[in-house]
Amino acid sequence: DRDPAVTDSPADAIAAYGLAGDHDEAGREAEAIPRYREALDLGLVEPERSRAFVQLASSLRNVGELDEALALLSDPGLDVELAPSIAAFRALVLHDLRRHDEALATALCTLAPTLPAYRISVAAYAADLVAL
């Protein structure tokens, strides 16, 4: 189900990634998903690799594939510079899964270090949300 315009040259992964993004931006997530997968299968490298994971997860979320979206956003190999963005999408997926406390804790844990005051309190409240 590969796009016929994409061959097997080193630039193929970037081409597939670009096509996926075009579909995504046009609101055609179902068409974007196989293109993101194709880009990753073709060996997309950083920083686009991590971005493709996030964008694929977002598209999967939008079509209701929540468990797979969450799994992608949990990949430990994703670019740490994207951590706040990954956390935002993770919080959205958790919310959609009705795991509201985890969603809010994820958002608060990401936000806490950026606060000019009350960092420790906000982090503690976030931890309380997910404590068993």
Side-chain angles (χ1 to χ4, degrees):
D1 195 29
R2 287 182 55 185
D3 186 300
V6 178
T7 61
D8 285 333
S9 73
D12 290 345
I14 293 292
Y17 174 64
L19 184 58
D22 291 345
H23 288 309
D24 219 351
E25 287 178 24
R28 297 188 312 264
E29 290 89 350
E31 294 175 47
I33 290 168
R35 300 291 80 85
Y36 285 128
R37 292 185 197 284
E38 181 178 10
L40 291 164
D41 289 345
L42 288 169
L44 194 63
V45 297
E46 297 298 345
E48 289 84 6
R49 179 190 167 276
S50 289
R51 292 180 181 278
F53 263 76
V54 173
Q55 289 167 235
L56 173 56
S58 176
S59 291
L60 288 166
R61 174 187 169 259
N62 288 334
V63 300
E65 297 293 332
L66 303 176
D67 291 329
E68 186 177 358
L70 188 60
L72 287 171
L73 295 169
S74 302
D75 187 299
L78 297 178
D79 186 346
V80 295
E81 289 191 21
L82 291 178
S85 299
I86 293 165
F89 285 100
R90 185 176 172 78
L92 288 167
V93 172
L94 288 166
H95 173 77
D96 290 348
L97 286 167
R98 301 191 184 285
R99 292 164 56 180
H100 303 293
D101 287 350
E102 286 178 77
L104 181 56
T106 297
L108 291 175
C109 284
T110 303
L111 178 63
T114 70
L115 298 175
Y118 311 109
R119 288 181 189 131
I120 294 170
S121 296
V122 170
Y125 289 134
D128 287 345
L129 286 168
V130 292
L132 298 177

